[in-house]
Amino acid sequence: MKRREFITLLGGAAAAWPLAGSAQQPGKSPRIGVLVSASPPHPFADAFWRGLHALGYSEGRNIRVEFRYTDGRSDRAEEFAAAFVRSGVDVIVAHFNLATRAAMGATRTIPIVMAPAGAPLQQGLIDSLARPGGNVTGLSAMDAELGGKRLQLLRELMPNLLCVAVRKALE
């Protein structure tokens, strides 16, 4: 092969390379179903998007996200969780215990991420903190697990402490 023929062949291959690359079908973007146990707008949605963007995800480019708000109603949570399963989402993000229970009732195979759940072990959502089991994982406030330790630390910091008040947060 002569030098000119080689350069022409190399140039032609280089020119065709971007076209061959663009002809490839893009991979399927993962679909996330987000079940929020509250009414819109909710700060959880903003925090969720910030987290995805920080990891390089962008709606329509490399991920698809669908939000459903239950308004604190278990019947709506169950309805939306079942709809996510029927539509074939890749993962369900469940905001608080209401949404987590609804998602668990709708599927045993699609991964469910609790974000957060108050005391998932005491609520029966997981088998143990070390090995949640099933298709559920995620974040826990762990209030029940840490409550005793917090009181112990308070007592050490304030030996004359006689009374402690606790306010339960709404889920």
Side-chain angles (χ1 to χ4, degrees):
M1 184 180 277
K2 294 183 182 172
R3 182 174 177 243
R4 283 189 184 166
E5 291 172 335
F6 178 74
I7 292 173
T8 303
L9 177 66
L10 193 60
W17 178 74
L19 297 175
S22 66
Q24 294 177 354
Q25 294 297 320
K28 178 185 162 221
S29 294
R31 284 185 56 223
I32 301 174
V34 182
L35 196 53
V36 182
S37 297
S39 302
H42 195 275
F44 178 77
D46 294 332
F48 187 78
W49 279 118
R50 280 194 306 275
L52 286 177
H53 292 151
L55 294 170
Y57 289 99
S58 178
E59 176 71 31
R61 194 186 66 172
N62 57 2
I63 198 162
R64 292 180 295 161
V65 180
E66 297 174 34
F67 281 85
R68 298 291 182 270
Y69 296 87
T70 70
D71 297 323
R73 292 177 36 198
S74 62
D75 60 328
R76 292 191 76 191
E78 292 166 1
E79 173 188 332
F80 292 147
F84 281 151
V85 171
R86 283 192 305 273
S87 72
V89 296
D90 296 299
V91 65
I92 297 174
V93 175
H95 173 255
F96 289 151
N97 290 349
L98 176 78
T100 303
R101 285 194 187 288
M104 288 175 68
T107 183
R108 297 273 184 236
T109 56
I110 297 173
I112 299 168
V113 179
M114 305 176 292
L121 185 60
Q122 287 74 12
Q123 296 289 321
L125 301 175
I126 60 173
D127 295 336
S128 76
L129 292 175
R131 298 193 188 282
N135 59 329
V136 180
T137 190
L139 304 172
S140 166
M142 294 181 54
D143 290 338
E145 292 87 353
L146 297 177
K149 189 65 174 176
R150 288 180 180 147
L151 285 173
Q152 180 184 355
L153 288 172
L154 272 174
R155 196 75 172 123
E156 289 175 18
L157 289 171
M158 305 168 70
N160 297 332
L161 183 67
L162 297 175
C163 183
V164 175
V166 177
R167 180 177 170 233
K168 182 181 181 206
L170 298 176
E171 282 193 82

